[in-house]
Amino acid sequence: MTTNSLNQAVSADLRERHAAAFMPNYGVPPVALVRGEGAYVWDQAGTRYLDLIAGIAVSSLGHGHPALAEAVSRQVSTIAHTSNLFVNEPEVLLAERLLGLLGAPGKVFLANSGTEANECALKLVLKYGRATGRGYIVAAENGFHGRTLGALSLTGKASIRDQFGPFPVDVRFVPYGDADALKQAVTGECSAVFLEPTQGEAGVVPPPAGYMRTAREICDATGALLVLDEIQSAIGRTGHWFAHQHDGIVPDVLTLAKGLGGGMPIGACVGFGDAGTLFAKGDHGSTFGGNPVSSAAALAVLDTIDRDGLLARARACGELLAGGVAAVDHPLISGVRGRGLWLAAVLTAPVAAQVQDAAQRAGFLVNAVQPDAVRLAPPLIVTEDQIGSFVAALPAILAEVTP
Ligand SMILES: *Cc1c(COP(=O)(O)O)cnc(C)c1O
């Protein structure tokens, strides 16, 4: 067998078994990945790909990073789980570290995923609403906050939401980025506004300049809590620790997940000021939340970003990637959105899935996040040369696509 037909045969076998064993909610992914190193991953037949999606903005240190491997294996062989009946040091160090990076007084809850971080935020908001006589919540159209029922009720995308309603909370949706619509929707009756600083799943869509500041002002004026979902945007993705630091604002509640654990499951909800002390003992919990292995992983991620200057790298490589893609002279490229290593190549036709397939055949993993947008979110350790190799290959990739 040639390498290529072996590749297809092995993958086809695993794909058939995937289809037979799993619920159909994901469809069957096209490639089985077996290992990774740095910004590269390999499939079963040994084909190498440059990973420009990083497990959906999760593998911030890339693959097989020694700092992450060392932290996780050391912790798993020391003590892997304590439950919240007992304190463990990594969870305390992590909470302290996050608060230090945020630079504002607050308190942390640790969970295991993004949607759980948002469930915590939502329960804080419900408690706040009850205590202050407020009701409905405002969120953005096309926003994504997760798949559990609370987070799904905040998610403004009909295709993934509507068949599961009615929802347990009253959420009103406004067009994202429209400050006037937000001003009209948020009154003294509103308990909170949930926003992403840039909408990730909607296609890496940043708001107009000043929008987040206006959201902060509207919440200050009405007493609604500002909840920022930074599950995708934080931990260096935009070239800052947190995307809201670009805007110079502090939210009341912040949620984190994806890149924080570098591939280990973790989520965090931070309440600032009074929002940090809304829960009383017994109000919320998680068996695995704050587990020492994920906490140690997150500490290794934060240490490595700091030590290796990965925020500056995200800014520099992000500019290189955005500039490189924007400069490709091809009728299918209409522009580039986003910031740092969190970008979307915007297309002039709904052919993102074809671009994703052609890129994969050329050895690059990208993500058709919307029919007309290809998401690029490489690990923060990606190099200039690797970015250059993708930019150089892009014209040939696009030449394979038929609009
Ligand atoms: C991925 C994502 C979530 C959900 O996170 P899960 O870990 O998949 O539950 C929520 N909000 C945003 C902005 C996300 O990108």
Side-chain angles (χ1 to χ4, degrees), residues 83-356:
S83 87
N84 293 291
L85 299 176
F86 308 96
V87 178
N88 72 72
E89 192 180 23
E91 67 175 350
V92 177
L93 289 171
L94 176 59
E96 290 171 346
R97 189 69 195 281
L98 285 173
L99 293 173
L101 293 174
L102 285 160
K107 290 189 186 286
V108 178
F109 175 82
L110 290 175
N112 313 287
S113 65
T115 202
E116 282 176 73
N118 281 336
E119 292 292 329
C120 176
L122 184 54
K123 282 177 71 176
L124 286 176
V125 164
L126 293 177
K127 257 208 112 170
Y128 175 71
R130 221 156 271 189
T132 57
R134 291 160 184 271
Y136 72 96
I137 293 168
V138 170
E141 288 169 12
N142 296 319
F144 183 79
H145 299 291
R147 303 280 197 161
T148 52
L149 283 175
L152 188 58
S153 58
L154 299 161
T155 290
K157 206 177 163 197
S159 61
I160 61 175
R161 160 196 166 83
D162 283 0
Q163 60 176 323
F164 299 107
F167 294 98
V169 285
D170 178 9
V171 182
R172 303 185 188 168
F173 292 98
V174 293
Y176 185 70
D178 181 339
D180 289 336
L182 192 64
K183 210 168 284 177
Q184 277 187 8
V186 181
T187 70
E189 310 273 287
C190 173
S191 53
V193 175
F194 276 74
L195 289 173
E196 298 163 81
T198 280
Q199 289 189 317
E201 296 308 304
V204 193
V205 180
Y211 179 69
M212 297 312 298
R213 252 175 194 286
T214 306
R216 179 67 276 177
E217 286 161 15
I218 292 170
C219 288
D220 286 340
T222 58
L225 297 179
L226 178 61
V227 184
L228 286 189
D229 179 341
E230 288 230 36
I231 286 165
Q232 191 162 158
S233 57
I235 319 299
R237 215 9 79 203
T238 66
H240 284 246
W241 284 110
F242 306 96
H244 69 264
Q245 293 175 333
H246 288 278
D247 303 297
I249 60 163
V250 179
D252 297 298
V253 180
L254 173 73
T255 56
L256 305 169
K258 291 201 165 85
L260 178 58
M264 292 297 288
I266 190 167
C269 178
V270 183
F272 295 94
D274 292 343
T277 51
L278 281 165
F279 283 154
K281 188 169 185 231
D283 279 351
H284 197 47
S286 163
T287 300
F288 294 116
N291 84 79
V293 179
S294 288
S295 300
L299 282 165
V301 167
L302 299 176
D303 284 345
T304 304
I305 290 175
D306 207 10
R307 191 196 56 216
D308 294 352
L310 298 185
L311 298 181
R313 168 160 294 280
R315 288 195 289 270
C317 283
E319 271 173 37
L320 202 62
L321 182 55
V325 173
V328 168
D329 185 18
H330 192 283
L332 275 175
I333 298 281
S334 88
V336 179
R337 292 192 293 250
R339 196 152 46 189
L341 283 173
W342 195 36
L343 302 167
V346 186
L347 307 175
T348 53
V351 292
Q354 277 193 64
V355 174
Q356 177 185 302

